[in-house]
Amino acid sequence: MEIIELGKNIELIDFKDIERDQLFIMKKIIGNFVKKIQDKNNDFEKLSIHLKRVHNSEYEILGKLVIKSNVYSSEVVNYNLFYALNETLRKLEAELG
Protein backbone atom coordinates (compact mmCIF):
# COMPACT_ATOMS: atom_id res chain seq x y z
CA MET A 1 0.00 0.00 0.00
CA GLU A 2 1.49 3.30 -1.11
CA ILE A 3 0.28 6.51 0.53
CA ILE A 4 0.65 9.98 -0.96
CA GLU A 5 0.06 12.71 1.61
CA LEU A 6 -1.25 16.09 0.51
CA GLY A 7 -0.59 18.23 3.52
CA LYS A 8 -1.38 16.70 6.89
CA ASN A 9 -5.11 16.09 6.30
CA ILE A 10 -5.32 14.30 2.93
CA GLU A 11 -4.20 10.78 2.04
CA LEU A 12 -4.25 9.19 -1.40
CA ILE A 13 -3.80 5.44 -1.11
CA ASP A 14 -2.59 3.21 -3.97
CA PHE A 15 -2.50 5.92 -6.64
CA LYS A 16 0.92 4.72 -7.85
CA ASP A 17 -0.33 3.43 -11.23
CA ILE A 18 -2.16 6.63 -12.18
CA GLU A 19 -0.60 8.69 -14.95
CA ARG A 20 1.05 11.93 -13.85
CA ASP A 21 -1.44 14.17 -15.69
CA GLN A 22 -4.42 12.32 -14.25
CA LEU A 23 -2.93 12.49 -10.76
CA PHE A 24 -2.42 16.25 -11.10
CA ILE A 25 -6.09 16.76 -12.01
CA MET A 26 -7.25 14.45 -9.22
CA LYS A 27 -5.18 16.36 -6.66
CA LYS A 28 -6.82 19.60 -7.81
CA ILE A 29 -10.32 18.10 -7.55
CA ILE A 30 -9.61 16.69 -4.09
CA GLY A 31 -7.96 19.91 -2.91
CA ASN A 32 -10.95 21.98 -4.01
CA PHE A 33 -13.32 19.56 -2.28
CA VAL A 34 -11.38 19.75 0.99
CA LYS A 35 -11.28 23.55 0.84
CA LYS A 36 -15.07 23.62 0.38
CA ILE A 37 -15.55 21.21 3.31
CA GLN A 38 -13.17 23.21 5.53
CA ASP A 39 -15.05 26.42 4.74
CA LYS A 40 -18.26 24.79 6.02
CA ASN A 41 -16.79 22.73 8.89
CA ASN A 42 -14.12 24.03 11.23
CA ASP A 43 -13.82 20.52 12.66
CA PHE A 44 -12.50 18.88 9.47
CA GLU A 45 -9.83 16.34 10.44
CA LYS A 46 -8.96 14.11 7.49
CA LEU A 47 -9.85 12.82 4.03
CA SER A 48 -8.58 9.45 2.79
CA ILE A 49 -9.13 8.30 -0.78
CA HIS A 50 -8.26 4.67 -1.59
CA LEU A 51 -8.05 3.60 -5.23
CA LYS A 52 -8.47 -0.01 -6.30
CA ARG A 53 -8.51 -1.57 -9.75
CA VAL A 54 -11.34 -4.00 -10.44
CA HIS A 55 -10.71 -6.51 -13.24
CA ASN A 56 -8.10 -4.13 -14.73
CA SER A 57 -10.76 -1.96 -16.35
CA GLU A 58 -12.89 -0.51 -13.58
CA TYR A 59 -11.88 1.79 -10.75
CA GLU A 60 -13.16 1.44 -7.23
CA ILE A 61 -12.73 4.52 -5.07
CA LEU A 62 -13.29 4.39 -1.34
CA GLY A 63 -13.57 7.72 0.42
CA LYS A 64 -13.35 8.32 4.15
CA LEU A 65 -13.97 11.75 5.64
CA VAL A 66 -13.41 12.50 9.33
CA ILE A 67 -15.09 15.54 10.85
CA LYS A 68 -15.30 16.09 14.60
CA SER A 69 -14.33 12.42 15.16
CA ASN A 70 -17.32 11.30 13.02
CA VAL A 71 -16.40 9.07 10.09
CA TYR A 72 -18.27 9.35 6.80
CA SER A 73 -17.57 6.92 3.98
CA SER A 74 -18.54 6.29 0.39
CA GLU A 75 -17.64 3.86 -2.36
CA VAL A 76 -18.05 4.06 -6.13
CA VAL A 77 -17.08 1.65 -8.91
CA ASN A 78 -16.91 2.97 -12.47
CA TYR A 79 -14.90 2.67 -15.69
CA ASN A 80 -14.21 6.42 -15.65
CA LEU A 81 -11.67 7.40 -13.00
CA PHE A 82 -12.75 11.04 -12.75
CA TYR A 83 -16.45 10.15 -12.58
CA ALA A 84 -15.73 7.65 -9.78
CA LEU A 85 -13.77 10.26 -7.83
CA ASN A 86 -16.41 12.94 -8.33
CA GLU A 87 -19.24 10.62 -7.25
CA THR A 88 -17.28 9.48 -4.19
CA LEU A 89 -16.74 13.10 -3.09
CA ARG A 90 -20.35 14.02 -3.90
CA LYS A 91 -21.63 11.16 -1.73
CA LEU A 92 -19.36 12.21 1.15
CA GLU A 93 -20.67 15.76 0.91
CA ALA A 94 -24.27 14.51 0.81
CA GLU A 95 -23.71 12.51 4.02
CA LEU A 96 -22.77 15.72 5.80
CA GLY A 97 -26.22 17.10 5.07
Side-chain angles (χ1 to χ4, degrees), residues 5-74:
E5 291 188 357
L6 305 179
K8 61 180 181 164
N9 302 55
I10 304 170
E11 288 182 340
L12 305 181
I13 303 167
D14 288 341
F15 278 69
K16 63 186 175 298
D17 295 330
I18 299 301
E19 292 179 24
R20 189 173 152 212
D21 294 342
Q22 288 180 315
L23 185 58
F24 178 78
I25 294 168
M26 294 184 82
K27 285 179 180 179
K28 283 287 203 187
I29 292 169
I30 293 165
N32 288 337
F33 172 79
V34 168
K35 183 174 178 356
K36 186 165 73 170
I37 295 299
Q38 284 176 324
D39 288 347
K40 294 178 183 177
N41 297 285
N42 293 333
D43 299 317
F44 169 82
E45 293 175 32
K46 186 175 191 174
L47 174 67
S48 295
I49 303 290
H50 192 158
L51 175 66
K52 296 181 180 181
R53 291 298 278 261
V54 181
H55 308 298
N56 289 329
S57 59
E58 283 187 302
Y59 298 97
E60 177 180 18
I61 296 186
L62 307 162
K64 185 171 89 173
L65 179 64
V66 182
I67 296 179
K68 205 179 208 175
S69 299
N70 295 318
V71 178
Y72 304 90
S73 58
S74 68

Side-chain angles (χ1 to χ4, degrees), residues 82-93:
F82 296 111
Y83 178 82
L85 176 63
N86 200 41
E87 281 298 297
T88 300
L89 298 177
R90 188 188 63 70
K91 285 182 174 184
L92 286 172
E93 187 173 18

